Amino acid sequence: MAESNQYKLSMRLAGSGNPWQVLRRTDGGPGITTNMTNPNEVDSSGQDSSMLLTSITVGGNVSIAFSAKTYDMIIRNVMGSDWVVDGTDPTLSTIIIGKDTPKLEFLVQYMDVGAAGKAYMIGEANVSQLQLSLSAGEVVSGSFSIVGESYNADYDFSADTFEDETITKPINAAQDVNELVIEGDTVMDVCVNTMDITINRNYQEDPCIGHEVPHQFKGTAQVTGNISLALTESTFGLLKDSINEKEFGVRLDMNDGTAGNSYLIETFRTKLGVEMPSGGRDTVLRPAVSFTALKDPNIGSFIRVSRTLAA
């Protein structure tokens, strides 16, 4: 009988033959799903007599606790450009939205099935969406979605090599978030209860006659999110700012404490949607703020992620 602790998910660049990087996760993983169709032929017995395999869905969602270094290749793929090292500080690198998304491979292993374990491989894959979520009193969590175009349903990994999971600690929303602000004319650094930010490449499925697995094509990149924050004099003004279509910057700065790794996520031209709160007895009133990032011509992107890794 297989148990979840013996499930292992790994990743590498497609076709590279590199060692597999074992990924940390809290739940989920990419799968191979067979889709069957009934041809609905009339049968004199009054019973179904056939089912046909008409398509195969390759991919799925992975839930994570965010930690430094662990998901840098995931970020690189969904952003669509390379990490660029700062010329004066080799520990600092930045990444913006681009169109270059080298395909990945994902390996799923069931280590307690059979004598040596069993595995399947998802090929020609990309990360279609990445989300990070912060909640007061919680670990910074998230998820990413995988779309693939090929598979190996019984992959032999006996000759492959593996790099161990990273050992950086999950980032703690209570202790490791240095700054989370909405910027207009002034910086509003107020009590934030929850926040999420999503990078979505809007991959479109394109099924073709003669192929079981549909092709996947990138669509328009989008960055959206939500913030729940305290109702104060400054945040009350967000409603008027939203009506006037004012643009803001959103900045999230977080690290993993004494280990010395940090990530700064910035949007520069951000439009807000605001829903003012109501509530019953003993309710903390918090405006619900949604945001959509727009391309900044000075940056060439609507989002920039900067990472500083311990030397």
Side-chain angles (χ1 to χ4, degrees):
M1 185 177 258
E3 61 178 83
S4 62
N5 288 337
Q6 297 302 310
Y7 175 108
K8 184 186 293 186
L9 175 62
S10 305
M11 171 187 63
R12 68 182 179 188
L13 284 174
S16 67
N18 292 341
W20 293 97
Q21 174 62 62
V22 180
L23 287 172
R24 295 154 61 179
R25 64 184 187 93
T26 58
D27 198 2
I32 302 170
T33 303
T34 56
N35 304 307
M36 311 296 288
T37 298
N38 189 330
N40 292 317
E41 293 181 314
V42 176
D43 191 299
S44 60
S45 70
Q47 303 174 67
D48 285 332
S49 57
S50 66
M51 290 288 288
L52 303 175
L53 174 67
T54 54
S55 66
I56 297 176
T57 303
V58 179
N61 301 317
V62 183
S63 298
I64 64 172
F66 186 75
S67 55
K69 301 182 181 180
T70 310
Y71 307 103
D72 287 357
M73 189 181 292
I74 297 292
I75 296 172
R76 186 260 175 268
N77 185 269
V78 77
M79 293 288 281
S81 64
D82 287 318
W83 290 98
V84 177
V85 178
D86 184 274
T88 58
D89 182 358
T91 67
L92 172 64
S93 55
T94 60
I95 190 169
I96 60 174
I97 291 291
K99 295 183 178 180
D100 178 25
T101 51
K103 293 186 182 297
L104 305 172
E105 295 172 343
F106 291 88
L107 180 66
V108 173
Q109 296 168 275
Y110 299 93
M111 300 305 296
D112 57 350
V113 175
K118 301 293 287 184
Y120 61 83
M121 190 266 286
I122 304 296
E124 299 178 86
N126 284 111
V127 178
S128 62
Q129 179 174 291
L130 172 65
Q131 181 182 69
L132 290 180
S133 301
L134 294 84
S135 296
E138 302 288 342
V139 168
V140 176
S141 61
S143 64
F144 60 90
S145 301
I146 299 164
V147 292
E149 295 184 328
S150 66
Y151 66 89
N152 184 332
D154 190 8
Y155 181 84
D156 181 5
F157 59 89
S158 59
D160 292 357
T161 57
F162 294 83
E163 294 181 359
D164 292 337
E165 298 175 346
T166 60
I167 57 173
T168 49
K169 80 176 187 71
I171 293 178
N172 181 345
Q175 298 178 334
D176 300 330
V177 175
N178 301 323
E179 189 177 45
L180 199 174
V181 298
I182 302 174
E183 297 177 293
D185 295 333
T186 59
V187 173
M188 287 179 295
D189 193 350
V190 299
C191 177
V192 175
N193 180 250
T194 62
M195 175 190 178
D196 63 72
I197 184 167
T198 301
I199 305 168
N200 189 351
R201 298 309 300 245
N202 282 298
Y203 274 81
Q204 302 298 308
E205 190 175 274
D206 185 24
C208 300
I209 293 173
H211 296 267
E212 292 176 334
V213 182
H215 298 300
Q216 300 284 345
F217 291 94
K218 283 194 303 290
T220 300
Q222 293 177 310
V223 170
T224 58
N226 300 278
I227 302 174
S228 173
L229 69 174
L231 180 57
T232 66
E233 184 176 1
S234 60
T235 58
F236 182 84
L238 290 176
L239 177 61
K240 183 177 179 180
D241 291 334
S242 178
I243 292 170
N244 293 331
E245 297 188 6
K246 187 173 181 177
E247 294 181 356
F248 289 81
V250 176
R251 189 168 69 248
L252 169 63
D253 186 8
M254 53 190 179
N255 63 33
D256 59 0
T258 57
N261 305 296
S262 65
Y263 289 78
L264 172 64
I265 300 172
E266 299 171 284
T267 67
F268 304 94
R269 294 183 56 224
T270 310
K271 292 289 185 72
L272 306 181
V274 179
E275 180 181 353
M276 296 304 289
S278 60
R281 179 175 174 175
D282 300 330
T283 301
V284 177
L285 298 182
R286 296 180 178 275
V289 178
S290 60
F291 64 86
T292 300
L294 305 173
K295 180 182 175 181
D296 186 319
N298 298 316
I299 305 297
S301 176
F302 41 51
I303 187 171
R304 180 173 64 195
V305 181
S306 304
R307 68 176 182 189
T308 301
L309 302 180

